Amino acid sequence: MSNINTDLTLFNELVEILLDDEKNYPVAERIDPAELYESIDLSLNDNAIVDEEFKNVLQNVITATPKTATNLFFNQLFGGRQSKAVLGDLLAVLLNNSMYTYKVAGPQVGIEKEIINQSCNMIGYGPDSNGTFPTGGSMSNFMALVMGRDRKAPNFKSKGMAKPMTLYTSEESHYSNAKNASFAGVGRDNVRYIKADAEGKMIPAELEAQIVNDIANGFVPFYVNSTAGTTVLGAFDPIEEIADITEKYDLWLHVDGAYCGSAIFSKKRMELLKGIERSDSFSYNAHKMLGTPLICSIILVNDKKHLHNSFSNDATYLYQTDQDDFNLGKTSFQCGRRNDALKFWTLWKSVGTNGLEQIVDQQFDLADVARDYVRNHPDYTLYSFDDSISICFNYKAIDPKVLCTALYENQITIVGFGSFNNDTFIRLVTINATNSKEDILNFFKVLEDYVEKNTSLVAQKELANS
Ligand SMILES: *Cc1c(COP(=O)(O)O)cnc(C)c1O
């Protein structure tokens, strides 16, 4: 039957197969969903499977799965593989702790707290700051929203909404803001989308005008979400100017740094988050810019009493020993909670804060390489701006949706498209810090070679325009 040693041997064999396969086929062959169950045996059956067959099925599954760690994957706001972080995550699986109490997590609690403390210090939060590891950037935004709601309306938790409350976020911000307004009982219609400028940053004057208007109409403004790295353009909202407004009207200021908040690790890029110490909460995803395995999301709170106020609950069956400070369940959304801290800690411990800075700087350097390339080649049009790791472009005026889909279906490279104002474009993301400058130039080369061999792509566009 099963035995951890033989399964780990099998694991190592499968890892060898996968790493080899990634080298030979950096883009996995796409299986049409209609043919998926015929292509791979995914069925669950009454009887046990024999070992050799089990290994074959696993091999088929892992080699057919989209490869997110290779140098041809640019589709998402994560990519690559930081091996020291992978090591930490594998250990977390073996240890299988739950992060709610010191009694069952022990030193893992200290690891989580160390990451939170160091991060709070880096952004200039005071001695009362604290944080937690939610299940992702969307959940981080949700927790921030709930804290802002409870600070403004202390009876909301027990009575529900008394007066209509409004929250503010830019039209370029993450879609979780709308869902969270609904989950928090505030209502999607009470989300005010503030206009962004030509570079995709929230316009503070528009924000203030909307707040004034809402107050005059009997609404209770309570929360502003500003974004450090918008999902499409990678733009940074001006925190300092937004903080002037949130302080004036006593609103909670959250900075959603899920995408590019890790820029706090770079002395050169910290400037993009100027004013961050004036926020009430800040979140960042280490599984995006820092390259840890998913999920690794951190929310920091300037005054920890809000975290306790909104999320703690007594439970004598759970909290039986130690103090609140070491029983992390008192400040989390969930009860049972996966250990997402260890993988980040193993990475940070091994490369140091300076190593994390290099990881961040590398991505901005690669972005410069990509932007220069696009700017210097007349067949390209650039739609994005400096100081961003999203490089948005079109090539030879080819429909970006058609081109992205063709590149994916023909196993050339995996990249996505996005829109800003009235333009739609390919969005290259240089978030994989294990890539080199050559890998970025190779991306353009494989794209150009593909178009060269498939002239119909260009012809289609010309036909459409004629
Ligand atoms: C990715 C992202 C999120 C969501 O984070 P998840 O961990 O995927 O839930 C939120 N905000 C921004 C700006 C993002 O880029």
Side-chain angles (χ1 to χ4, degrees):
M1 279 297 296
S2 48
N3 160 323
I4 190 71
N5 291 312
T6 51
D7 285 337
L8 287 179
T9 304
L10 173 59
F11 176 77
N12 278 316
E13 287 168 18
L14 290 167
V15 169
E16 290 294 321
I17 290 167
L18 177 62
L19 295 181
D20 226 45
D21 193 65
E22 283 179 351
K23 271 192 217 118
N24 298 325
Y25 307 98
V27 183
E29 192 166 345
R30 177 178 186 272
I31 302 172
D32 192 294
E35 288 154 20
L36 181 58
Y37 291 94
E38 283 108 74
S39 309
I40 316 179
D41 178 15
L42 300 178
S43 65
L44 295 169
N45 311 108
D46 288 340
N47 296 322
I49 190 169
V50 297
D51 286 349
E52 200 44 39
E53 236 178 279
F54 184 52
K55 182 179 172 183
N56 281 339
V57 172
L58 289 176
Q59 180 172 339
N60 291 340
V61 168
I62 62 172
T63 55
T65 297
K67 297 182 174 98
T68 64
T70 71
N71 62 356
L72 286 172
F73 179 80
F74 298 100
N75 199 69
Q76 234 62 44
L77 305 182
F78 67 90
R81 184 181 285 130
Q82 292 290 347
S83 63
K84 286 295 191 293
V86 171
L87 171 69
D89 211 12
L90 293 172
L91 290 173
V93 169
L94 272 176
L95 291 166
N96 198 37
N97 301 103
S98 180
M99 298 304 289
Y100 36 41
T101 61
Y102 189 75
K103 193 177 179 185
V104 293
Q108 302 298 327
V109 169
I111 282 173
E112 183 163 317
K113 285 168 69 73
E114 174 68 7
I115 292 171
I116 289 167
N117 286 341
Q118 290 262 359
S119 305
C120 285
N121 287 341
M122 287 175 69
I123 63 169
Y125 275 5
D128 293 330
S129 57
N130 198 354
T132 184
F133 281 62
T135 51
S138 305
M139 177 57 86
S140 293
N141 290 349
F142 178 65
M143 291 182 76
L145 182 68
V146 169
M147 287 185 282
R149 182 198 74 182
D150 294 344
R151 187 177 75 177
K152 180 62 88 179
N155 290 327
F156 200 115
K157 284 192 290 181
S158 43
K159 309 276 185 218
M161 188 157 74
K163 272 187 176 174
M165 298 174 75
T166 46
L167 63 128
Y168 305 79
T169 191
S170 102
E171 56 190 2
E172 289 299 303
S173 66
H174 192 255
Y175 69 85
S176 55
N177 286 292
K179 296 204 300 185
N180 292 341
S182 132
F183 303 157
V186 171
R188 280 178 181 248
D189 289 354
N190 292 327
V191 182
R192 303 288 189 252
Y193 293 98
I194 307 303
K195 263 183 78 67
D197 68 13
E199 296 190 1
K201 303 171 186 175
M202 190 198 286
I203 303 173
E206 299 269 347
L207 170 66
E208 183 161 19
Q210 182 66 53
I211 291 169
V212 168
N213 190 51
D214 284 330
I215 292 172
N217 287 303
F219 291 97
V220 181
F222 73 102
Y223 177 87
V224 176
N225 173 81
S226 80
T227 309
T230 57
T231 308
V232 175
L233 288 181
F236 290 77
D237 288 339
I239 300 174
E240 203 89 79
E241 289 163 82
I242 294 171
D244 288 341
I245 298 167
T246 54
E247 284 166 14
K248 183 170 168 189
Y249 296 93
D250 189 26
L251 315 185
W252 186 280
L253 174 56
H254 175 63
V255 178
D256 173 8
Y259 180 14
C260 297
S262 301
I264 60 169
F265 287 92
S266 165
K267 289 180 222 50
K268 223 158 104 192
R269 308 292 172 175
M270 182 65 181
E271 179 72 10
L272 297 167
L273 287 111
K274 200 159 178 291
I276 183 74
E277 72 286 350
R278 294 171 66 187
S279 63
D280 295 289
S281 55
F282 165 64
S283 54
Y284 70 103
N285 278 356
H287 69 256
K288 286 184 174 171
M289 283 189 89
L290 298 177
T292 73
L294 286 91
I295 291 288
C296 191
S297 186
I298 297 127
I299 184 168
L300 307 173
V301 182
N302 212 335
D303 187 342
K304 66 183 170 206
K305 77 168 184 255
H306 299 294
L307 206 48
H308 282 272
N309 178 45
S310 291
F311 295 101
S312 78
N313 218 88
D314 277 327
T316 41
Y317 53 80
L318 184 60
Y319 303 109
Q320 300 178 341
T321 62
D322 308 299
Q323 297 147 358
D324 277 6
D325 260 5
F326 279 79
N327 286 332
L328 301 178
K330 288 284 176 94
T331 44
S332 69
F333 182 87
Q334 299 131 271
C335 178
R337 187 163 59 90
R338 199 184 181 281
N339 181 357
D340 287 332
L342 183 58
K343 58 193 164 198
F344 186 13
W345 184 85
T346 50
L347 175 65
W348 197 336
K349 186 83 176 166
S350 71
V351 303
T353 312
N354 293 336
L356 297 182
E357 176 169 42
Q358 276 172 20
I359 289 174
V360 170
D361 284 344
Q362 170 74 354
Q363 293 159 54
F364 282 100
D365 290 348
L366 293 177
D368 286 340
V369 169
R371 258 189 311 271
D372 283 349
Y373 187 89
V374 168
R375 282 200 177 108
N376 292 325
H377 287 72
D379 288 335
Y380 287 86
T381 315
L382 183 66
Y383 296 89
S384 59
F385 306 92
D386 289 351
D387 296 323
S388 160
I389 61 166
S390 296
I391 298 88
C392 304
F393 68 87
N394 277 321
Y395 180 60
K396 293 194 169 175
I398 303 167
D399 183 338
K401 294 179 197 170
V402 172
L403 183 50
C404 283
T405 306
L407 292 169
Y408 158 55
E409 290 184 343
N410 294 287
Q411 292 159 252
I412 307 299
T413 182
I414 308 265
V415 66
F417 55 84
S419 302
F420 178 60
N421 293 340
N422 295 319
D423 298 311
T424 300
F425 37 67
I426 295 178
R427 183 193 61 171
L428 170 69
V429 183
T430 57
I431 202 155
N432 177 358
T434 64
N435 275 340
S436 64
K437 181 179 169 184
E438 288 69 38
D439 291 315
I440 300 303
L441 297 177
N442 182 59
F443 163 80
F444 291 112
K445 183 168 174 353
V446 298
L447 182 152
E448 289 162 20
D449 287 352
Y450 180 78
V451 171
E452 172 97 41
K453 289 197 203 100
N454 295 273
T455 41
S456 62
L457 285 169
V458 185
Q460 251 176 28
K461 183 72 191 184
E462 277 160 5
L463 262 177
N465 286 345
S466 64

